[in-house]
């Protein structure tokens, strides 16, 4: 498996890392405490050409490999998981359904601005009564002359409510097969469409810089040109975007863990108790050694899944394993890191507390870890 970066990807990584260390580090923590999505940072990433990492140049992106994307995401998340979460949701589930299944006309009109960095993309699958069980979703699309009427509600949708958001790609029930099985379609709903409204930004334990809201559709007219792919093929499209999303959340977990280790190591080297740096105590060293080892194990699972995708080989099982392992490593690492900080780490004023709060969602979002285990078990033949 080739997990090396091309020269162009190395340059992009340096560009992204530099921006993260300078701009993101300066703004993101305050935005997190203010529970504000720092759109200016996403615009900044767009100005650097980094909002279309997986989109080919033909459609305004940079056409990175999945491995290159993972490296960039790890670097961003090491500095701030919320901003990295917004960036990765935009880059994968927000953009990929349009890239992979949209017509050229749709790509030109809706994907290009996302990839060129002037708009943010969002993906609406989850509903109040349909989370892990996506097939039970109730949002319905009714056929009318020239298009469809969309009615329903989506829950916890990221990136749909910022001033940079273009709208959202939504999955809705379009009817049933002859044998009664439900059919689903993907619909592009633009901001400002009559009948499309949003709830307030939701308040999470972490990822406070990410804009996440409930969305409401009351007889929203969606013209035929805004149906992505076949009106019955939407579920398969969303699920395949989610496979890449799993690698992406795994890389986000990796960056979160790596950022926590970096903070804990620096603190352990300067904090003194009993007349010595706490990094000289074997109990602390063992924690740091375990954190670093777990991070490295997760890193190779993630890069392996990414390299499989780049090689055009199946990667469903490996993506699920990477997401499962890396998210566990993230929650383990942030907890150990807070332990190393002691009371100072418990206080929300500290950077490590922000990482601690940002980690839990990684075991829930884009398929809970229980669902990842089900995917892995199914791939094993259960
Ligand atoms: C911050 C945030 C951002 C999000 N962004 C988006 C977004 O942009 N777009 C979007 O569509 N969604 C988004 N989501 C939704 C997210 O993907 C769902 O929360 C997640 O898939 C879980 O669904 P649920 O919350 O309904 O939990 P449920 O499905 O109700 O699960 C509850 C519990 O039951 C377990 N469980 C369920 N079924 C099984 C089973 N068969 N076997 C064993 N255990 C099971 C789950 O693992 C979990 O522990 C976001 C959520 C959050 C919190």
């Amino acid at each position: 498996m080739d997990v090396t970066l091309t020269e162009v990807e190395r340059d992009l990584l340096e560009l992204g890392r530099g921006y993260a260390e300078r701009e993101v580090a300066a703004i993101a923590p305050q935005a997190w405490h203010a529970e504000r999505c720092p759109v200016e940072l996403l615009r900044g990433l767009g100005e650097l050409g980094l909002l279309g990492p997986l989109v080919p140049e033909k459609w305004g992106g940079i056409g990175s490999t999945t491995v290159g994307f993972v490296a960039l995401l790890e670097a961003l998340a090491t500095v701030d998981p919320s901003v990295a979460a917004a960036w990765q949701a935009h880059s994968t589930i927000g953009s990929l359904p349009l890239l992979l299944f949209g017509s050229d006309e749709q790509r030109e009109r809706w994907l290009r601005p996302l990839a060129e960095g002037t708009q943010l993309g969002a993906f609406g699958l989850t509903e109040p009564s349909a989370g892990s069980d996506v097939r039970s979703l109730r949002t319905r699309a009714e056929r009318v002359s020239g298009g469809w009427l969309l009615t329903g509600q989506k829950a916890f949708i990221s990136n749909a409510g910022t001033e940079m958001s273009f709208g959202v790609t939504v999955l809705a029930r379009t009817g049933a097969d002859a044998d009664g099985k439900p059919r689903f379609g993907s619909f592009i709903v633009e901001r400002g469409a009559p009948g499309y409204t949003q709830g307030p930004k939701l308040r999470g334990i972490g990822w406070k810089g990410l804009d996440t809201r409930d969305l409401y559709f009351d007889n929203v007219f969606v013209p035929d040109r805004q149906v992505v792919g076949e009106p019955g093929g939407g579920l398969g499209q969303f699920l395949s975007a989610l496979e890449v999303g799993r690698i992406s959340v795994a890389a986000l977990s990796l960056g979160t863990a790596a950022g926590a280790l970096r903070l804990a190591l620096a603190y352990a080297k300067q904090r003194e108790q009993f007349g010595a740096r706490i990094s000289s105590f074997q109990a602390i060293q063992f924690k740091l050694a375990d954190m670093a080892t777990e991070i490295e194990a997760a890193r190779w699972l993630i890069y392996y899944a990414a390299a499989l995708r780049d090689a055009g080989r199946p990667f469903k099982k490996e993506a699920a394993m990477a997401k499962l392992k890396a998210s566990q490593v993230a929650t383990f690492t942030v907890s150990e890191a807070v332990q190393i900080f002691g009371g100072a780490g418990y206080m929300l004023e500290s950077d490590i507390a922000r990482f601690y709060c940002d980690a839990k969602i990684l075991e829930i979002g884009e398929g809970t870890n229980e669902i990842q285990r089900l995917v892995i078990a199914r791939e094993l033949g259960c």
Side-chain angles (χ1 to χ4, degrees), residues 8-211:
V8 172
E9 285 167 346
R10 275 202 303 274
D11 289 347
L12 287 169
L13 176 59
E14 283 320 307
L15 188 68
R17 185 179 280 137
Y19 185 77
E21 302 284 356
R22 265 189 337 272
E23 310 293 331
V24 176
I27 293 173
Q30 289 87 337
W32 190 94
H33 285 287
E35 306 212 10
R36 177 181 77 80
C37 173
V39 173
E40 66 274 32
L41 291 174
L42 297 165
R43 279 197 205 288
L45 286 165
E47 280 158 19
L48 294 179
L50 297 179
L51 277 197
L54 293 170
V55 176
E57 287 177 35
K58 179 179 177 196
W59 300 112
I62 53 180
S64 167
T65 59
T66 320
V67 166
F69 166 69
V70 161
L72 197 46
L73 179 48
E74 181 186 344
L76 273 180
T78 300
V79 175
D80 186 70
S82 285
V83 170
W87 182 77
Q88 69 84 27
H90 160 89
S91 306
T92 58
I93 58 176
S95 303
L96 293 182
L98 292 166
L99 172 68
L100 300 177
F101 307 105
S103 64
D104 279 0
E105 192 194 333
Q106 289 170 336
R107 290 176 180 145
E108 189 57 45
R109 168 117 186 234
W110 288 287
L111 178 63
R112 182 175 293 285
L114 301 183
E116 289 182 346
T118 55
Q119 293 187 333
L120 267 193
F123 171 90
L125 178 62
T126 307
E127 298 188 359
S129 61
S132 305
D133 180 13
V134 291
R135 283 178 181 78
S136 68
L137 66 82
R138 293 185 185 165
T139 298
R140 61 175 200 282
E142 251 177 74
R143 195 82 179 95
V144 291
S145 170
W148 299 77
L149 278 185
L150 229 64
T151 303
Q153 181 182 344
K154 294 288 170 185
F156 316 132
I157 307 306
S158 303
N159 286 343
T162 74
E163 65 203 48
M164 231 183 126
S165 305
F166 90 101
V168 59
T169 309
V170 176
L171 193 69
R173 199 176 272 263
T174 50
D177 284 341
D179 58 3
K181 267 203 192 144
R183 287 164 64 83
F184 303 94
S186 295
F187 300 86
I188 299 168
V189 179
E190 292 185 307
R191 252 176 111 198
Y196 170 40
T197 52
Q198 303 168 349
K201 180 177 180 295
L202 294 165
R203 302 179 61 218
I205 297 173
W207 279 7
K208 291 172 185 287
L210 177 71
D211 188 285

